[in-house]
Amino acid sequence: QVQLVESGGGLVETGGSLRLSCTASGRTLSSYGMGWFRQTPGKERELVARISWSGGSTYYADSVKGRFTISRDNAKNTVYLQMNSLKPEDTAVYYCNTPYNPRTLVTGTSGYWGQGTQVTVSS
Protein backbone atom coordinates (compact mmCIF):
# COMPACT_ATOMS: atom_id res chain seq x y z
CA GLN A 1 0.00 0.00 0.00
CA VAL A 2 1.55 3.27 -1.13
CA GLN A 3 0.98 6.24 1.13
CA LEU A 4 2.06 9.83 0.60
CA VAL A 5 2.15 12.23 3.52
CA GLU A 6 2.52 15.96 2.95
CA SER A 7 3.73 18.39 5.58
CA GLY A 8 5.07 21.90 5.89
CA GLY A 9 2.00 23.95 5.11
CA GLY A 10 0.89 26.85 7.24
CA LEU A 11 0.12 30.54 7.40
CA VAL A 12 2.67 32.96 5.99
CA GLU A 13 2.70 36.61 5.02
CA THR A 14 3.04 37.82 1.45
CA GLY A 15 6.65 37.53 0.36
CA GLY A 16 7.39 34.76 2.81
CA SER A 17 8.59 31.22 2.22
CA LEU A 18 7.52 27.70 3.03
CA ARG A 19 8.95 24.29 2.22
CA LEU A 20 6.54 21.45 1.66
CA SER A 21 7.58 17.84 2.04
CA CYS A 22 5.99 14.68 0.71
CA THR A 23 7.25 11.42 2.12
CA ALA A 24 6.28 8.07 0.67
CA SER A 25 5.87 4.71 2.32
CA GLY A 26 5.20 1.40 0.65
CA ARG A 27 7.27 2.37 -2.36
CA THR A 28 10.80 3.39 -3.22
CA LEU A 29 10.40 6.65 -5.09
CA SER A 30 13.61 6.50 -7.06
CA SER A 31 11.91 5.06 -10.16
CA TYR A 32 8.86 7.30 -10.05
CA GLY A 33 8.05 10.81 -11.11
CA MET A 34 6.56 13.10 -8.49
CA GLY A 35 4.38 16.15 -8.71
CA TRP A 36 2.84 18.88 -6.62
CA PHE A 37 -0.68 20.07 -7.30
CA ARG A 38 -2.89 22.62 -5.63
CA GLN A 39 -6.59 23.22 -5.35
CA THR A 40 -8.83 26.00 -4.11
CA PRO A 41 -12.57 25.71 -3.46
CA GLY A 42 -14.59 25.61 -6.64
CA LYS A 43 -11.58 25.16 -8.88
CA GLU A 44 -9.96 22.17 -10.48
CA ARG A 45 -6.76 20.79 -9.08
CA GLU A 46 -3.83 22.25 -11.01
CA LEU A 47 -0.30 21.05 -11.58
CA VAL A 48 2.23 23.29 -9.86
CA ALA A 49 5.48 21.42 -10.45
CA ARG A 50 6.74 17.98 -11.31
CA ILE A 51 10.07 16.20 -11.33
CA SER A 52 11.08 13.17 -13.32
CA TRP A 53 12.07 9.91 -11.74
CA SER A 54 15.73 10.69 -12.36
CA GLY A 55 15.44 14.26 -11.12
CA GLY A 56 16.89 15.44 -14.40
CA SER A 57 13.74 17.05 -15.70
CA THR A 58 11.41 19.50 -14.01
CA TYR A 59 8.31 21.44 -15.01
CA TYR A 60 6.70 24.48 -13.41
CA ALA A 61 3.43 26.20 -13.99
CA ASP A 62 3.93 29.71 -15.35
CA SER A 63 2.37 31.16 -12.21
CA VAL A 64 5.17 29.79 -10.00
CA LYS A 65 8.22 29.88 -12.27
CA GLY A 66 11.16 31.56 -10.63
CA ARG A 67 9.55 31.33 -7.17
CA PHE A 68 9.04 27.60 -6.53
CA THR A 69 11.60 24.81 -6.73
CA ILE A 70 10.83 21.11 -6.72
CA SER A 71 13.49 18.65 -5.62
CA ARG A 72 13.76 15.10 -4.44
CA ASP A 73 15.86 13.12 -1.98
CA ASN A 74 15.53 9.49 -2.94
CA ALA A 75 17.49 8.37 0.10
CA LYS A 76 14.75 9.87 2.25
CA ASN A 77 11.95 8.85 -0.12
CA THR A 78 10.85 12.46 -0.07
CA VAL A 79 10.06 15.20 -2.55
CA TYR A 80 10.10 18.87 -1.63
CA LEU A 81 8.55 22.06 -2.86
CA GLN A 82 10.40 25.18 -1.84
CA MET A 83 8.06 28.13 -2.17
CA ASN A 84 9.51 31.64 -2.06
CA SER A 85 8.01 35.08 -2.63
CA LEU A 86 4.60 33.74 -1.78
CA LYS A 87 1.52 35.60 -2.93
CA PRO A 88 -2.07 35.49 -1.69
CA GLU A 89 -3.04 33.69 -4.90
CA ASP A 90 -0.80 30.80 -3.85
CA THR A 91 -3.27 30.04 -1.07
CA ALA A 92 -4.56 26.50 -1.63
CA VAL A 93 -4.41 22.95 -0.44
CA TYR A 94 -1.27 21.39 -1.86
CA TYR A 95 -1.14 17.72 -2.78
CA CYS A 96 1.63 15.46 -3.96
CA ASN A 97 1.09 12.78 -6.54
CA THR A 98 2.99 9.88 -8.00
CA PRO A 99 1.94 7.70 -10.92
CA TYR A 100 1.04 4.06 -10.56
CA ASN A 101 3.77 3.02 -12.96
CA PRO A 102 7.49 3.76 -12.90
CA ARG A 103 9.14 6.17 -15.31
CA THR A 104 5.78 7.69 -16.16
CA LEU A 105 5.01 11.37 -16.67
CA VAL A 106 3.13 12.97 -13.79
CA THR A 107 -0.18 14.28 -15.08
CA GLY A 108 -2.44 13.94 -12.07
CA THR A 109 -5.07 11.98 -13.97
CA SER A 110 -4.27 8.90 -11.93
CA GLY A 111 -1.82 7.62 -9.35
CA TYR A 112 -1.48 7.98 -5.62
CA TRP A 113 -2.33 11.15 -3.73
CA GLY A 114 -1.50 12.48 -0.32
CA GLN A 115 -4.07 13.99 2.00
CA GLY A 116 -2.99 17.56 1.27
CA THR A 117 -1.50 20.37 3.30
CA GLN A 118 -3.03 23.84 3.59
CA VAL A 119 -0.99 26.86 2.56
CA THR A 120 -2.43 30.25 3.40
CA VAL A 121 -0.72 33.47 2.34
CA SER A 122 -2.00 36.60 4.03
CA SER A 123 -1.96 39.96 2.27
Side-chain angles (χ1 to χ4, degrees):
Q1 182 76 7
V2 176
Q3 288 190 318
L4 302 177
V5 178
E6 300 100 335
S7 61
L11 174 64
V12 65
E13 293 183 347
T14 296
S17 297
L18 286 172
R19 188 177 79 155
L20 306 183
S21 300
C22 172
T23 301
S25 59
R27 164 185 285 186
T28 300
L29 289 183
S30 58
S31 296
Y32 295 85
M34 296 293 299
W36 284 98
F37 294 73
R38 66 187 180 187
Q39 188 171 26
T40 54
K43 292 189 176 181
E44 291 189 358
R45 195 171 295 186
E46 63 169 347
L47 174 62
V48 174
R50 65 183 174 212
I51 187 166
S52 64
W53 63 275
S54 67
S57 176
T58 58
Y59 163 86
Y60 297 94
D62 287 343
S63 57
V64 306
K65 276 182 185 176
R67 300 188 298 122
F68 290 10
T69 302
I70 189 170
S71 62
R72 61 191 302 153
D73 185 340
N74 289 337
K76 295 183 178 180
N77 236 26
T78 298
V79 64
Y80 304 98
L81 186 68
Q82 178 67 44
M83 305 187 296
N84 299 329
S85 303
L86 283 162
K87 305 175 181 180
E89 50 264 44
D90 295 318
T91 296
V93 178
Y94 284 71
Y95 301 87
C96 63
N97 170 269
T98 184
Y100 291 129
N101 298 315
R103 299 176 181 84
T104 302
L105 185 67
V106 174
T107 63
T109 56
S110 63
Y112 299 99
W113 293 92
Q115 83 289 349
T117 185
Q118 176 71 47
V119 171
T120 303
V121 185
S122 64
S123 58

